[in-house]
Amino acid sequence: MAYWLMKSEPSAYSWAQLVKDKRTSWSGVRNYQANNNMKAMQLGDEAFFYHSNEDRAIVGIMKIVKLWRPDPTDETGKFGMVDVAPVKTLTKPVTLAEIKADKRLANMQLLRQSRLSVSVVAEEEWKKLID
DNA sequence: GCCAACGTTGGC
DNA sequence: GCCAACGTTGGC
């Protein structure tokens, strides 16, 4: 079982919207590394939902409910998407500032590659973030 | 609104 | 294959 972090600007697609939708196809990724991370996802893997820009915080936990397949919105046919469903809303969001303040989280791909929209979360990092 | 970091494009 | 120019992301 692997863990991931997926970013969205709340003005584009928010956690509240996902909760309302029950599930969604994570389309629109146009970056090879993010795409490769989605290709590596397995059914049942869990992922943080991170609000970029306005919020800058992890706000919920999702699970992968459908494997990678081509993204119909990508005319080049290079990029794909997975389907996700909400698992849990965090009672207290974990802010970027809090993540940055924790030395043990300094190696998170989120911090090292700030522009990557789909990143890997190590198991130790995941556990630290949810307790 | 600014700008650093990074990815992509295209000329050579 | 290199690299300058340009576009985008996302934190501040």
Side-chain angles (χ1 to χ4, degrees):
Chain A
M1 164 122 163
Y3 300 98
W4 310 94
L5 182 145
M6 302 169 88
K7 290 184 190 176
S8 180
E9 291 186 40
S11 57
Y13 190 84
S14 68
W15 173 253
Q17 188 62 48
L18 177 62
V19 169
K20 196 191 274 181
D21 292 346
K22 303 280 198 282
R23 66 187 277 164
T24 198
S25 296
W26 205 269
S27 59
V29 170
R30 297 293 182 268
N31 171 282
Y32 287 104
Q33 208 177 342
N35 187 57
N36 284 337
N37 280 338
M38 289 200 294
K39 267 188 179 172
M41 292 176 179
Q42 297 296 317
L43 293 178
D45 279 1
E46 292 190 311
F48 286 128
F49 190 112
Y50 176 87
H51 274 166
S52 59
N53 291 332
E54 299 98 299
D55 262 18
R56 274 163 282 129
I58 295 169
V59 292
I61 295 172
M62 318 182 271
K63 67 181 173 193
I64 309 306
V65 294
K66 192 164 179 179
L67 294 176
W68 188 94
R69 63 198 181 284
D71 178 349
T73 70
D74 173 28
E75 289 175 3
T76 70
K78 293 173 183 167
F79 300 102
M81 63 187 187
V82 295
D83 282 12
V84 295
V87 171
K88 183 174 189 281
T89 301
L90 295 191
T91 47
K92 187 177 174 299
V94 183
T95 66
L96 181 64
E98 288 171 318
I99 295 168
K100 282 189 165 175
D102 191 333
K103 277 184 198 150
R104 292 161 300 186
L105 297 173
N107 282 324
M108 280 191 73
Q109 194 171 27
L110 170 72
L111 300 183
R112 288 187 293 117
Q113 286 169 256
S114 62
R115 287 181 50 197
L116 188 61
S117 63
V118 180
S119 62
V120 183
V121 179
E123 191 176 356
E124 318 84 79
E125 294 165 350
W126 181 274
K127 286 178 177 161
K128 193 151 298 304
L129 286 160
I130 56 175
D131 68 28

